[in-house]
Amino acid sequence: MKKFLKTTSLLLMCALLLSACGNLQNSSLSSGGGDTSKSTVQTTSSSDSSSYDVLLSGGKYKTSPISGITAADNSNQFNSRSFESGLMSLSKKQFSTNSYVFQEGQVLSATTVTKWLARKSKKNSIGLNPASNGSKDENKRAPMYFQQMLEEDYLTKQNGKYKLAGMSIGIAMNKVDYYQKKQYGATYKTTISTEQQKEQGEKIAQEVVKRLRADKQVGNIPIVVGLYSVAPEDTLVGGTYFQYAISKSDTLGNWSTLGYKNQMLPTVNGESAINSGDSDAFTNFKDNIQDYFPNLSGVTAEAHYDGTDLKSMDVTINTQFDGLAQITSFTQFVQQSASKYLPSGADLDINIQTVDEQQAVVTRNNGKFYSHVYNAD
């Protein structure tokens, strides 16, 4: 079991949560339904109604102790961000941004989650991955289904104190389980079917909820549980949540199926575009900026869909610019081109960078553009 600290992902999540922050507000904190803590906390005050205010402790952002803990290696770094951002999107279906304050999960400990992610054995009776059957054959061995957990806490202000009022749990299920037949040997893989992901995920989710309900900090608060399909190492996009349920008692409610998909643009390996119109729009955007500024190393995008409807697009533009004037001019041109060519209904996150550093960012959220050139101030 290894713990990989996803520094970049954490910064991205912090940026997402802390965007458009205003004044900090003081209050006392209660970490559950019991006695309140005497520690002073603050919350950010977001001017964006689609974002959560964030709970700070002693003026500092609190990270979750289970962040980055995985059952096995998976080198696809795109999974980390989509695992986090996807769970927050599901949370908004249950916990209003106007009524709840966000905090990274503080209930589950690293020790507990490490044991849950391990195989069940005589030494670890609480493991949620199946016990080894001794086989090393890719089609006969018992794979590691359960790859990672994520906890998000949602608090409300009651009698001047913040109390845990809701929780979201992400359960990441492997699509491919990578393993070695001997230490430091070659890597092999077992492919897990969609049916197995679903069956095992629902079983694990029910047990996780049962265990959480036994914790006095959790009690009877609503719990959103999302099942996430981990993208394999050889893909250029992150995974997606494929279903979710809400628990308001000891059991989970009915599962709702999700139609989320991710795709790299331009498409690769002869893959058909999820939406040909979006693909053509991105090609026009790409061609336009490359015609104007040919000194580019590459322009790619990760498109995020709900069915065939484009929800957001993360664009990466690799440049070889050195001068501030060039970068500033190019950033302005990118924003103009994005407004003209890219689908108008989708949120955008456009990162302009060299191999060594981030140079500028252009975003569009709820139809409004924002851009920033680093080191320009």
Side-chain angles (χ1 to χ4, degrees), residues 246-314:
I246 300 172
S247 169
K248 296 183 178 180
S249 61
D250 291 339
T251 60
L252 276 167
N254 294 329
W255 288 98
S256 298
T257 301
L258 300 166
Y260 298 156
K261 301 174 185 176
N262 293 331
Q263 185 172 54
M264 181 62 67
L265 297 175
T267 57
V268 295
N269 300 324
E271 183 180 27
S272 297
I274 294 174
N275 186 309
S276 59
D278 297 335
S279 179
D280 291 343
F282 177 75
T283 297
N284 292 335
F285 166 79
K286 177 175 177 288
D287 291 346
N288 189 60
I289 62 174
Q290 286 182 323
D291 285 344
Y292 194 79
F293 284 90
N295 195 24
L296 301 179
S297 301
V299 183
T300 59
E302 184 178 358
H304 307 284
Y305 287 91
D306 186 353
T308 58
D309 295 331
L310 181 67
K311 296 300 182 181
S312 64
M313 186 179 288
D314 298 326

Side-chain angles (χ1 to χ4, degrees), residues 135-360:
S135 175
K136 298 291 185 180
D137 184 276
E138 63 182 48
N139 297 316
K140 296 180 180 179
R141 62 185 287 271
M144 298 282 281
Y145 296 105
F146 189 15
Q147 170 70 357
Q148 191 174 358
M149 275 194 76
L150 178 64
E151 176 195 344
E152 293 176 352
D153 293 344
Y154 293 91
L155 302 93
T156 56
K157 199 170 187 179
Q158 302 174 28
N159 299 321
K161 301 176 178 65
Y162 281 101
K163 298 183 69 174
L164 184 65
M167 177 186 289
S168 292
I169 297 293
I171 294 177
M173 303 297 295
N174 281 323
K175 194 176 184 68
V176 176
D177 176 33
Y178 300 93
Y179 69 102
Q180 295 172 318
K181 295 183 180 181
K182 60 181 180 179
Q183 192 174 21
Y184 308 120
T187 298
Y188 299 85
K189 61 183 181 180
T190 297
T191 301
I192 298 168
S193 69
T194 301
E195 290 74 19
Q196 288 176 310
Q197 272 189 321
K198 182 177 183 294
E199 178 184 353
Q200 294 293 326
E202 291 180 359
K203 179 180 176 181
I204 290 168
Q206 185 62 64
E207 180 61 26
V208 166
V209 167
K210 178 182 176 182
R211 295 178 184 184
L212 285 171
R213 291 297 183 200
D215 191 314
K216 292 182 180 180
Q217 295 181 82
V218 177
N220 295 320
I221 64 172
I223 304 175
V224 174
V225 181
L227 298 184
Y228 176 89
S229 178
V230 179
E233 291 183 346
D234 57 356
T235 56
L236 299 175
V237 295
T240 57
Y241 283 87
F242 58 92
Q243 61 183 45
Y244 78 101
I246 300 172
S247 169
K248 296 183 178 180
S249 61
D250 291 339
T251 60
L252 276 167
N254 294 329
W255 288 98
S256 298
T257 301
L258 300 166
Y260 298 156
K261 301 174 185 176
N262 293 331
Q263 185 172 54
M264 181 62 67
L265 297 175
T267 57
V268 295
N269 300 324
E271 183 180 27
S272 297
I274 294 174
N275 186 309
S276 59
D278 297 335
S279 179
D280 291 343
F282 177 75
T283 297
N284 292 335
F285 166 79
K286 177 175 177 288
D287 291 346
N288 189 60
I289 62 174
Q290 286 182 323
D291 285 344
Y292 194 79
F293 284 90
N295 195 24
L296 301 179
S297 301
V299 183
T300 59
E302 184 178 358
H304 307 284
Y305 287 91
D306 186 353
T308 58
D309 295 331
L310 181 67
K311 296 300 182 181
S312 64
M313 186 179 288
D314 298 326
V315 180
T316 301
I317 302 174
N318 293 304
T319 77
Q320 298 177 28
F321 300 144
D322 294 321
L324 179 59
Q326 275 188 313
I327 297 168
T328 303
S329 176
F330 180 64
T331 301
Q332 293 170 347
F333 184 73
V334 165
Q335 179 172 324
Q336 294 169 3
S337 299
S339 178
K340 181 177 180 180
Y341 292 105
L342 295 180
S344 60
D347 288 344
L348 300 175
D349 187 355
I350 304 174
N351 291 295
I352 302 168
Q353 62 190 37
T354 64
V355 174
D356 299 320
E357 63 181 0
Q358 182 87 7
Q359 294 177 310

Side-chain angles (χ1 to χ4, degrees), residues 74-98:
N74 184 310
S75 62
N76 187 338
Q77 298 299 312
F78 295 103
N79 279 309
S80 182
R81 185 178 183 185
S82 57
F83 188 38
E84 295 177 359
S85 62
L87 185 61
M88 183 168 288
S89 294
L90 293 178
S91 299
K92 291 177 181 179
K93 297 176 182 290
Q94 176 67 26
F95 308 119
S96 167
T97 56
N98 295 322

Side-chain angles (χ1 to χ4, degrees), residues 8-110:
T8 301
S9 176
L10 178 60
L11 291 173
L12 288 169
M13 179 58 75
C14 290
L16 173 67
L17 293 168
L18 297 172
S19 61
C21 292
N23 296 326
L24 298 178
Q25 303 170 354
N26 292 325
S27 180
S28 297
L29 169 66
S30 171
S31 59
D35 295 335
T36 58
S37 169
K38 295 180 180 180
S39 62
T40 299
V41 299
Q42 297 171 310
T43 62
T44 65
S45 181
S46 175
S47 60
D48 181 0
S49 62
S50 66
S51 299
Y52 288 105
D53 289 354
V54 181
L55 194 70
L56 306 177
S57 180
K60 297 180 180 180
Y61 182 92
K62 291 184 71 174
T63 60
S64 173
I66 70 170
S67 176
I69 300 176
T70 59
D73 292 346
N74 184 310
S75 62
N76 187 338
Q77 298 299 312
F78 295 103
N79 279 309
S80 182
R81 185 178 183 185
S82 57
F83 188 38
E84 295 177 359
S85 62
L87 185 61
M88 183 168 288
S89 294
L90 293 178
S91 299
K92 291 177 181 179
K93 297 176 182 290
Q94 176 67 26
F95 308 119
S96 167
T97 56
N98 295 322
S99 303
Y100 292 84
V101 171
F102 170 88
Q103 181 176 253
E104 284 196 30
Q106 300 298 316
V107 174
L108 291 170
S109 69

